[in-house]
């Protein structure tokens, strides 16, 4: 059984039918990419998975449990962390306090301290700047903070929305290297990206979204070589 | 010179009360992004609870103060849940603003119905002797000393609560970004309820301090101080806790000085004029957040 099973979800913004029956699965240990143009419904899909939006129809099952009616603040406790689009760090709080917010649902101080160690080891820059206000960090550092904050909840599935957005090519590579490390350390990854080439190069499998529906799916390496995908999303 | 110091002290006294009320305004605004215009009337309810509990039920003063805090806290939570929460996702932010004005009138008219329109004289609860300084040239009232000490304690505790505790950090997170806070596991509804609870509990204390310094009580007692505290909150930078404290105290001093040196009739107008000037010069208020943020 898949770790996350999304079946035929329909989501509306008022009268707009944003997701028209999206289905996909994420297996334990995989890196899954959702690619597609602006407005295809990638972010909407992630928001529905983590409870910020409600599906009108369809089901979302995580580790065998239906989570489609569970509010966002409880889903993180079940083991799904969401790195939102545009980072959304708490700019008035310090880097350290942002990371502590990531562990909001956890109680054991000892274990939280261990997670903090791990995050600092993975992102040494965050430790250097732990007392700085998050709003003063550069875009790349904020992205690292958003990822570190999500990892502080010790998720089994991490959902990332456009982690490379607005970053320089060097930083994009750095972020994707970190995603690989996160995946290798045992966390399952669901990734939404406009940078389809990068996303497909690290993903195991991928789904292509077009105006609210999944139009293609398959192994990432196959999609990377697919003529239609190349034309539409890889700019070749 | 002595009269100047004496005015300054009564300005700080009045300003401390404004600051306590402004804290409720500013916290609710920061977290729920709404102006709770019924906040001032909670002060009046608190004062009536204290008065009734002592004179009609014969409760001990400290018991009646405690009772007022509990009732106001519950009332704040209830008002938010019944009147504001259903409108939180309304298309226009005006909906909840108008509702708040409606709740304000509701509270005033309920008080009219229950207690009548005539002014009641408030009971003396705080019995602290006056302090005489400089060989009797300067007298500081006991209530003034108590008010200033109580406000200082409230401000310190509240600042520590917001900065150092988990629910406090949750409040900061919700005030910045509701969605991101939810993704961390913060229950936004609970956090907003908590904010209303704290603000309304503080309003009960403000009611006690206000009516102890100016001991007449009518159903409209909370209205003007409520608006002044709103001015103080905007003055300091709405959403900012230190802003509410400084804004409140400054406004109290300006009001008393205005009364003493310019005119008792236009003292209120002076308060509002100061607000206009501050907003013209620094639209975000004294402590307004206009930090440059990198994108």
């Amino acid at each position: 059984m898949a770790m996350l099973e999304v079946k035929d979800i329909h989501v509306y913004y008022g009268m707009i039918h944003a997701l028209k029956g999206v289905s996909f699965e994420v297996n334990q240990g995989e890196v899954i990419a959702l690619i597609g143009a602006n407005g295809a419904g990638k972010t909407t899909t992630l928001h529905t998975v983590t409870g910020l939006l409600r599906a009108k129809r369809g089901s979302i099952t995580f580790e065998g449990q239906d989570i489609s009616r569970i509010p966002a603040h409880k889903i993180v406790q079940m083991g799904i962390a969401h790195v939102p689009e545009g980072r959304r760090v708490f700019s008035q709080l310090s880097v350290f306090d942002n990371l502590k917010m990531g562990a909001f649902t956890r109680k054991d101080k000892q274990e939280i301290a261990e997670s903090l160690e791990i995050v600092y080891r993975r992102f040494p820059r965050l430790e250097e700047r732990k007392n700085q206000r998050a709003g003063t960090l550069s875009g790349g550092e904020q992205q690292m903070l958003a990822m570190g904050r999500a990892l502080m909840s010790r998720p089994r599935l991490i959902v990332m929305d456009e982690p490379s957005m607005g970053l320089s090519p060097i930083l994009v590579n750095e972020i994707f290297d970190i995603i690989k490390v996160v995946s290798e350390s045992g966390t399952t990854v669901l990734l939404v990206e406009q940078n389809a080439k990068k996303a497909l190069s690290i993903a195991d499998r991928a789904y292509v979204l077009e105006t609210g529906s999944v139009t293609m799916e398959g192994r990432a390496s196959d999609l990377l070589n697919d003529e239609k995908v190349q034309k539409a999303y890889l700019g070749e | 010179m002595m009269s100047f110091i004496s005015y300054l002290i009564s300005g700080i006294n009045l300003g401390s009360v404004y600051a306590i009320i402004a804290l409720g305004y500013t916290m609710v605004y920061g977290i729920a992004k709404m102006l709770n215009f019924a906040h001032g009337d909670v002060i009046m309810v608190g004062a009536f609870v204290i008065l009734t509990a002592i004179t009609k039920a014969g409760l001990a003063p400290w018991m009646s103060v405690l009772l007022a805090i509990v009732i106001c806290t519950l009332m704040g939570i209830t008002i938010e849940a019944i009147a504001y929460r259903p409108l939180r996702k309304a298309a226009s932010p005006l909906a909840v603003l108008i509702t708040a004005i409606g709740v304000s009138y509701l509270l005033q008219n309920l008080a009219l119905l229950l207690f009548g329109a005539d002014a009641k004289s408030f009971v003396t609860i705080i019995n602290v002797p006056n302090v005489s300084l400089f060989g009797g040239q300067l007298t500081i009232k006991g209530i003034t000393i108590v008010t200033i000490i109580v406000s200082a304690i409230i401000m310190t505790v509240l600042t520590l609560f917001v900065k150092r505790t988990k629910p406090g950090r949750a409040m900061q997170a919700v005030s910045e970004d509701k969605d991101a806070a939810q993704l961390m596991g913060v229950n936004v509804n609970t956090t907003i309820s908590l904010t209303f609870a704290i603000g309304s509990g503080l309003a009960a204390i403000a009611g006690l301090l206000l009516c102890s310094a100016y001991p007449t009580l009518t159903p409209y007692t909370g209205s003007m101080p409520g608006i002044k505290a709103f001015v103080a909150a905007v003055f300091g930078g709405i959403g900012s806790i230190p802003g509410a404290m400084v804004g409140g105290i400054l406004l109290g001093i300006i009001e008393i000085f205005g009364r003493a040196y310019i005119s008792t009739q236009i003292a209120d107008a002076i308060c509002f004029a100061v607000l206009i000037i501050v907003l013209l010069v620094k639209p975000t208020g004294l402590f307004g957040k206009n930090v440059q943020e990198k994108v």
Side-chain angles (χ1 to χ4, degrees), chain B residues 137-152:
Chain B
Q137 279 181 290
L138 181 68
T139 307
I140 305 173
K141 283 189 191 152
I143 175 66
T144 302
I145 296 168
V146 171
T147 302
I148 294 170
I149 291 173
V150 168
S151 321

Side-chain angles (χ1 to χ4, degrees), chain A residues 63-81:
Chain A
E63 295 178 337
Q65 200 176 344
D66 182 6
I67 58 166
S68 58
R69 292 281 169 274
I70 294 180
H73 68 267
K74 290 202 176 131
I75 284 183
V76 57
Q77 231 164 331
M78 302 179 68
I80 307 181

Side-chain angles (χ1 to χ4, degrees), chain A residues 152-212:
Chain A
M152 287 298 291
S153 70
R154 256 195 334 197
R156 292 187 292 286
L157 170 65
I158 189 165
V159 161
M160 298 192 216
D161 198 347
E162 305 277 6
S164 77
M165 195 171 66
L167 300 184
S168 71
I170 297 168
L171 276 169
V172 170
N173 287 336
E174 208 173 310
I175 294 291
F176 274 93
D177 286 343
I178 293 164
I179 297 175
K180 258 190 261 174
V181 173
V182 168
S183 159
E184 279 155 15
S185 66
T187 312
T188 309
V189 178
L190 173 59
L191 175 67
V192 151
E193 257 300 335
Q194 293 242 32
N195 190 338
K197 198 176 204 169
K198 268 281 170 200
L200 291 175
S201 72
I202 66 159
D204 297 304
R205 293 185 301 114
Y207 295 81
V208 178
L209 256 95
E210 251 171 75
T211 58

Side-chain angles (χ1 to χ4, degrees), chain B residues 78-102:
Chain B
T78 312
I79 290 173
E80 193 275 326
I82 295 176
Y84 304 151
R85 187 174 300 176
L87 293 169
R88 209 179 291 151
K89 285 189 178 137
S92 160
L94 278 179
V96 72
L97 188 76
I98 293 165
T99 308
I101 295 171

Side-chain angles (χ1 to χ4, degrees), chain B residues 13 34 74 76 98 118 122 126 132 142 150 159 183 199 214 234 250 260 267 278 282 291:
Chain B
N13 177 5
M34 68 160 289
L74 294 176
I98 293 165
D118 51 321
F122 199 70
I126 300 167
S132 215
V150 168
T159 307
L183 293 178
Y214 304 89
V234 176
L250 281 180
V278 169
K282 199 165 181 303
V291 199

Side-chain angles (χ1 to χ4, degrees), chain B:
Chain B
M1 187 57 198
M2 281 307 153
S3 65
F4 175 83
I5 294 173
S6 148
Y7 291 140
L8 182 67
I9 290 168
S10 43
I12 295 174
N13 177 5
L14 180 62
S16 303
V17 178
Y18 287 161
I20 297 174
I21 311 170
L23 282 171
Y25 256 112
T26 224
M27 286 171 73
V28 164
Y29 179 83
I31 285 154
K33 298 287 176 279
M34 68 160 289
L35 294 169
N36 178 19
F37 278 119
H39 187 58
D41 301 295
V42 179
I43 300 166
M44 171 273 295
V45 172
F48 267 116
V49 171
I50 294 172
L51 185 63
T52 314
I54 292 178
T55 57
K56 297 275 187 327
L59 250 60
W62 69 270
M63 283 265 286
S64 38
V65 171
L66 204 64
L67 182 71
I69 294 175
V70 170
I71 287 181
C72 287
T73 302
L74 294 176
M75 198 172 74
I77 295 172
T78 312
I79 290 173
E80 193 275 326
I82 295 176
Y84 304 151
R85 187 174 300 176
L87 293 169
R88 209 179 291 151
K89 285 189 178 137
S92 160
L94 278 179
V96 72
L97 188 76
I98 293 165
T99 308
I101 295 171
V103 171
S104 164
Y105 282 119
L106 177 72
L107 293 179
Q108 288 176 10
N109 284 291
L110 279 177
L112 266 178
L113 209 65
L114 287 171
F115 305 106
D118 51 321
K120 312 268 186 304
S121 66
F122 199 70
V123 283
T124 311
I125 293 179
I126 300 167
N127 271 316
V128 176
N130 296 348
V131 175
S132 215
L133 295 174
F134 306 109
Q137 279 181 290
L138 181 68
T139 307
I140 305 173
K141 283 189 191 152
I143 175 66
T144 302
I145 296 168
V146 171
T147 302
I148 294 170
I149 291 173
V150 168
S151 321
I153 292 171
I154 287 175
M155 291 172 195
T156 315
V157 170
L158 198 62
T159 307
L160 288 176
F161 173 79
V162 170
K163 289 237 153 82
R164 299 279 163 82
T165 69
K166 220 169 161 178
R169 262 198 306 276
M171 288 167 89
Q172 281 181 285
V174 171
S175 109
E176 243 196 82
D177 190 331
K178 274 200 192 88
D179 282 351
Q182 284 185 68
L183 293 178
M184 303 299 113
V186 175
N187 185 335
V188 171
N189 282 338
T190 313
T191 307
I192 291 179
S193 293
L194 176 67
T195 311
F196 271 86
I198 293 174
S200 307
L202 291 182
I205 299 174
L208 165 70
L209 297 175
L210 184 74
C211 290
S212 296
Y214 304 89
T216 47
L217 179 58
T218 77
Y220 307 108
T221 292
S223 167
M224 199 53 173
I227 292 173
K228 295 267 185 58
F230 167 61
V231 171
V234 176
F235 188 12
I238 190 127
S240 154
I241 289 178
M245 299 172 187
V246 174
I249 289 169
L250 281 180
L251 196 74
I253 294 171
I254 291 168
E255 183 174 332
I256 297 292
F257 278 170
R259 251 183 237 295
Y261 294 115
I262 303 172
S263 152
T264 46
Q265 267 135 35
I266 62 163
D268 287 349
I270 294 169
C271 289
F272 294 112
V274 166
L275 173 73
I276 294 170
I277 293 165
V278 169
L279 289 183
L280 284 175
V281 178
K282 199 165 181 303
T284 50
L286 298 176
F287 287 70
K289 288 169 188 159
N290 49 357
V291 199
Q292 280 293 322
E293 269 150 36
K294 290 183 187 168
V295 184

